Amino acid sequence: MYNSKITGLGYYVPDNIVTNEDLTKFMETSDEWIQERTGIKERRWITEGSEDTSAVMGAKAARIAIERSGLTKDDIDFIVFATLSPDYYFPGCGVQVQEMLDMKTIGALDVRNQCSGFIYGLSVADQFIKTGMYKNVLVIGSEFHSGGLDKTTRGRGVSVIFGDGAGAVVLSRTEDNTKGILSSHLHSEGKHAEELTVLAPSIRHWVPEILEANDENDESYFPYMNGTFVFKNAVVRFSEVIMEGLQSNGLKDTDIDMFIPHQANLRISQFVQKKFRLSDDQIFNNIMKYGNTTAASIAIALTEAWEQGKIKDNDLVVLAAFGSGFTWGSVIMRW
Ligand code: UT7
């Protein structure tokens, strides 16, 4: 059996910086509240009229990742695209990337696992490589949140948190079984599906029905989050799934060289950091600059950490995420 390792990484975020202070112009909030509860100082939001979408940003990040892998687009065998904010209800963004990058008619799979989307995507790609079916798989996480947020005081509990951006990696076959993805661990608990959700439009609640009702109090098409409940579950599940990953490889928390958590909330990351007794240089956070970019967040953070020289050859790198579904997961890899 083969192993898979990351051979190229890239990210793309829109130029437009929206600070906490900027948000106070259209909702009742404050820089102090947002920083204290989430750690976020600013986020990137696509400006109106920009060409950027989830697929476009994903393709931009992918171009960088492919170039850095030393491969060409024609060497890629398969695309996995994780997003909760696709350009179309269907088809998915993966096929758009295949077209935008002018790739061969390779398979393209969209993953719908929200904040855990990139972890699920990496795991899927890893399985395809381990079985020998593919040599190089492009895994993308990308989100265009800003177009779908309630940017009034009513939506402030959610809208201040989310940002736009994309990250991508190329996962490639290696015959060195000591390097690359050692294991991945995936979980879900659907009974909490409506604790963090966008209810409409859906097949049950479709556009003509929404338009006909013309109900300005209808919040079903904005993201809803039971924040405190999600927070409490996140800290437990993050810890469990990291422990599961370490134990299944016979490793301990002291073996972790770099932990890249999904950037949900700086307080969640700090809780996990403390639990696993990690020093500040064993964890990488960038939620301060980008907010929560959901399926893109780990890919962006991993790329930035690598660009800044914080991940070295042979390091034990742990990725973990928790989010809507609920879904959660971890990936343990030797760099
Ligand atoms: O990535 C997917 C997973 N997501 C997460 O893991 C996120 C988990 N949850 C959280 O990060 C936190 O729950 C939040 C940051 C979303 C909220 O923080 P919180 O400490 O749980 O605040 P809260 O929702 O309990 O709200 C406290 C107060 C409320 O006012 P009252 O009822 O106490 O008067 C809210 O109305 O803060 C108010 N509030 C705000 N005030 C200023 C909520 N949002 C804002 C805001 N600005 N943006």
Side-chain angles (χ1 to χ4, degrees), residues 23 27-30 33-34 37-38 114-116 153 155-162 196 225-235 238 262-268 292-294 297 322-324 326:
L23 298 180
M27 65 177 79
E28 282 171 35
T29 188
S30 67
W33 190 97
I34 300 170
R37 308 279 176 136
T38 70
Q114 302 70 247
C115 303
S116 314
T153 300
R156 66 183 179 175
V158 171
S159 55
V160 303
I161 298 168
F162 291 100
L196 176 45
M225 174 162 68
N226 181 349
T228 316
F229 185 73
V230 174
F231 191 104
K232 284 182 184 158
N233 278 266
V235 291
F238 259 106
H262 160 54
Q263 301 291 294
N265 183 321
L266 194 59
R267 286 160 59 212
I268 296 177
N292 178 346
T293 58
T294 314
S297 91
F322 173 88
S324 162
F326 291 152

Side-chain angles (χ1 to χ4, degrees), residues 17-20 31 34-35 39-44 160 286-291:
I17 298 173
V18 179
T19 64
N20 293 342
D31 179 45
I34 300 170
Q35 284 212 52
I40 300 166
K41 296 179 184 198
E42 57 191 42
R43 73 286 294 139
R44 304 296 177 99
V160 303
N286 59 9
I287 191 170
M288 305 73 92
K289 292 192 295 180
Y290 302 128

Side-chain angles (χ1 to χ4, degrees), residues 4 54 77-78 82 91 105 110 127 130 145 147 157 159 179 191 204 252-253 305:
S4 76
S54 291
D77 303 310
F78 193 68
T105 55
D110 269 45
Q127 311 315 312
K130 284 201 165 115
H145 281 302
S159 55
K179 288 283 174 71
K191 73 176 175 195
R204 285 196 304 187
K252 300 188 295 296
D253 52 5

